[in-house]
Amino acid sequence: MNIIVQKYGGTSTRSFESRERMYKNIIRDVKAGHKVVAVVSAMGRFDDPYATDTLLSIVNKEHLDSEELDRLTSLGETIATLVIKAELEKNGITTATISNQELGILTDRDYQNASIIEVDGEMILEKLKEVDVVICPGFQGRNEEGKITTLGRGGSDLSAVAVGIAVEASEVEIYSDVNGIYTADPRIVPDALKLNYISYAEMLELACNGAKVLNHRCVQLAASHNIRIHARSSFEQYKGTYVIGDEEIMKKSLNKLTISGITGSQNEARVTLVGVDGTNNSSAKFFQRIAEEGVNVNVFNQALVGGGKMDISLIIRDEDLPKVIDICNELKQPLKAQRTIVRGNIGKVSVIGIGIKNNQGMFHKVYNTLIKNDIPVEMTSCSEINISCFIDRDDVNRAQVVLHEAFLGNEN
């Protein structure tokens, strides 16, 4: 049984006209001899009648706990499966639906942002023996107590990959309103190039550094099971971008670009504890409290400034700034810090590609390109495939344009 998993978001399920385009994709793969598992999102966005945000808007959320909210928000996907089955069978395609209980996605108890523990595809496979297409609700699972859970932002992408692994699909097609993965956001960089292939590692770095095409958790899951993702458009039949293993990319020379992507984000902040006592394990105490509050640190630096003192600087998401300021105030006296400096309005631009590790002078080129274009760099972080520079938030879009021109301007 050759199975393809297709995932459709709210823009695809929203209206009869958009669903007609979805059915063309499903029918195409059925006629090619595949069985299809379609993982679908709720229909549309606020204020479409059955969209997730619309369902949330009709209740007073303060009077529902997290488990009850998950029960409510899971209904949009369930409705979508039934609407799609009824319409698709009119096209002569034998179809079945899967309920939350039959879905086989077991999660932890973290309501509204659950993590997948395991997936059992037995019920889906049983139904595929009798029909050409099985429609599954995205974005949800069930915990060990039998309670409905939802998977958080990008949850339908994640559940599609999980189902793909469970049924041993040949690939997982993620449909959206863009026709693949580009070297930059085309709305910011008009000369961005569409990639035919990108590695899991590169896609994960792009997703974690601001690119919004694929959810980072779905990429992680796909990479750990080596399942191919095909990111493509709901509105055209052309192939999009395949996300595959690094070794396959290198072995077959599928991507000849040194840089696979340039992305940016504008939600960073910098906090510096000045003149901390460097003799009493200050950094460990500071970061222990930060970890206890669930704050993710993007970049960390400590510098000795003489007299047994040091400055501790870190860059965090700006939404975590109030927590970190409270921690700084709490620890200022125990750490003997002289003062706290807070710098908001920080953004990040990242240059990503598996070619970085094999090419000397890449950091120098990134840094100098920004400086030559009057874009000051506050802090940097580097890995084998990622060079990130933290800059003023207002410079992020322009930085992506000048870096794309510097690294990929000759590729058009």
Side-chain angles (χ1 to χ4, degrees):
M1 192 185 303
N2 191 343
I3 302 170
I4 288 180
V5 173
Q6 299 180 347
K7 176 264 174 179
Y8 294 97
T11 55
S12 295
T13 62
R14 183 174 204 167
S15 66
F16 179 75
E17 289 73 22
S18 63
R19 292 194 296 275
E20 282 286 291
R21 289 190 289 267
M22 178 175 73
Y23 301 148
K24 288 181 181 179
N25 296 325
I26 293 173
I27 293 168
R28 177 200 64 219
D29 284 347
V30 170
K31 286 185 175 179
H34 303 292
K35 296 283 189 174
V36 175
V37 179
V39 177
V40 299
S41 298
M43 296 187 291
R45 299 288 183 266
F46 184 85
D47 55 358
D48 294 307
Y50 309 112
T52 301
D53 289 339
T54 305
L55 294 172
L56 287 170
S57 73
I58 62 177
V59 300
N60 187 333
K61 291 183 285 186
E62 294 181 1
H63 297 291
L64 297 180
D65 62 27
S66 294
E67 183 269 328
E68 291 167 327
L69 287 171
D70 272 4
R71 254 191 290 155
L72 174 65
T73 55
S74 71
L75 295 175
E77 279 71 21
T78 298
I79 293 169
T81 64
L82 300 171
V83 170
I84 289 165
K85 177 184 186 290
E87 293 177 348
L88 189 55
E89 287 213 329
K90 289 182 179 179
N91 291 276
I93 302 297
T94 57
T95 308
T97 60
I98 286 285
S99 67
N100 175 280
Q101 193 168 15
E102 297 170 320
L103 186 57
I105 295 180
L106 179 67
T107 75
D108 60 17
R109 297 181 60 197
D110 188 7
Y111 294 107
Q112 299 183 285
N113 192 35
S115 296
I116 295 175
I117 298 173
E118 63 181 24
V119 186
D120 181 355
E122 181 179 357
M123 185 60 71
I124 298 172
L125 291 170
E126 283 297 314
K127 293 195 177 190
L128 283 175
K129 292 177 182 177
E130 307 296 329
V131 300
D132 293 319
V133 180
V134 170
I135 313 295
C136 299
F139 176 63
Q140 61 190 260
R142 184 172 287 260
N143 63 28
E144 290 179 342
E145 297 176 345
K147 304 287 189 180
I148 293 175
T149 56
T150 60
L151 304 177
R153 186 171 183 176
S156 289
D157 288 2
L158 179 60
S159 52
V161 171
V163 167
I165 293 166
V167 302
E168 298 184 358
S170 57
E171 68 180 54
V172 176
E173 298 178 335
I174 305 289
Y175 286 87
S176 69
D177 55 359
V178 295
N179 63 349
I181 297 159
Y182 282 72
T183 51
D185 186 337
R187 294 168 298 182
I188 298 171
V189 183
D191 294 332
L193 311 171
K194 187 172 82 70
L195 300 168
N196 293 322
Y197 298 91
I198 189 171
S199 72
Y200 296 125
E202 292 169 309
M203 189 65 243
L204 186 58
E205 289 288 346
L206 285 170
C208 290
N209 286 282
K212 296 179 174 61
V213 180
L214 291 175
N215 176 268
H216 73 278
R217 291 190 298 166
C218 97
V219 179
Q220 285 177 317
L221 187 60
S224 66
H225 291 81
N226 198 33
I227 188 165
R228 175 182 292 228
I229 296 175
H230 187 186
R232 60 190 307 184
S233 172
S234 300
F235 306 105
E236 57 186 49
Q237 295 294 309
Y238 301 111
K239 290 184 178 181
T241 303
Y242 288 98
V243 186
I244 58 179
D246 301 29
E247 291 184 3
E248 187 176 356
I249 291 274
M250 300 296 285
K251 184 178 180 180
K252 298 181 180 179
S253 299
L254 296 175
N255 185 359
K256 300 183 185 300
L257 300 175
T258 301
I259 298 302
S260 292
I262 294 169
T263 189
S265 62
Q266 297 175 307
N267 58 347
E268 318 285 338
R270 179 177 179 177
V271 178
T272 303
L273 274 176
V274 177
V276 171
D277 187 347
T279 64
N280 63 357
N281 203 18
S282 299
S283 297
K285 295 175 182 176
F286 186 41
F287 284 104
Q288 179 180 345
R289 285 290 295 117
I290 286 176
E292 289 170 354
E293 293 297 325
V295 174
N296 182 54
V297 176
N298 294 327
V299 182
F300 158 67
N301 180 59
Q302 63 181 39
L304 295 174
V305 294
K309 298 286 187 178
M310 64 181 179
D311 295 345
I312 301 174
S313 294
L314 60 152
I315 289 183
I316 56 173
R317 295 174 301 181
D318 55 9
E319 65 188 54
D320 289 325
L321 189 55
K323 291 181 182 178
V324 175
I325 290 174
D326 287 344
I327 293 170
C328 291
N329 291 335
E330 171 192 327
L331 295 180
K332 185 174 181 180
Q333 186 171 352
L335 299 183
K336 301 179 181 178
Q338 295 172 358
R339 66 184 186 279
T340 302
I341 299 175
V342 177
R343 161 80 157 94
N345 297 317
I346 288 181
K348 175 174 63 174
V349 63
S350 300
V351 177
I352 293 161
I354 55 177
I356 288 175
K357 60 185 175 183
N358 296 321
N359 287 270
Q360 295 182 348
M362 296 292 283
F363 175 80
H364 178 266
K365 186 173 182 178
V366 171
Y367 186 86
N368 273 13
T369 298
L370 295 176
I371 296 303
K372 286 179 180 178
N373 284 277
D374 298 318
I375 301 174
V377 177
E378 301 218 2
M379 291 179 73
T380 62
S381 66
C382 300
S383 71
E384 284 191 329
I385 64 169
N386 180 0
I387 300 169
S388 290
C389 294
F390 294 86
I391 59 180
D392 192 274
R393 183 175 298 174
D394 293 338
D395 289 330
V396 168
N397 288 354
R398 186 164 63 92
Q400 291 175 77
V401 173
V402 298
L403 286 169
H404 195 277
E405 175 61 28
F407 283 94
L408 298 164
N410 296 326
E411 301 293 338
N412 284 297

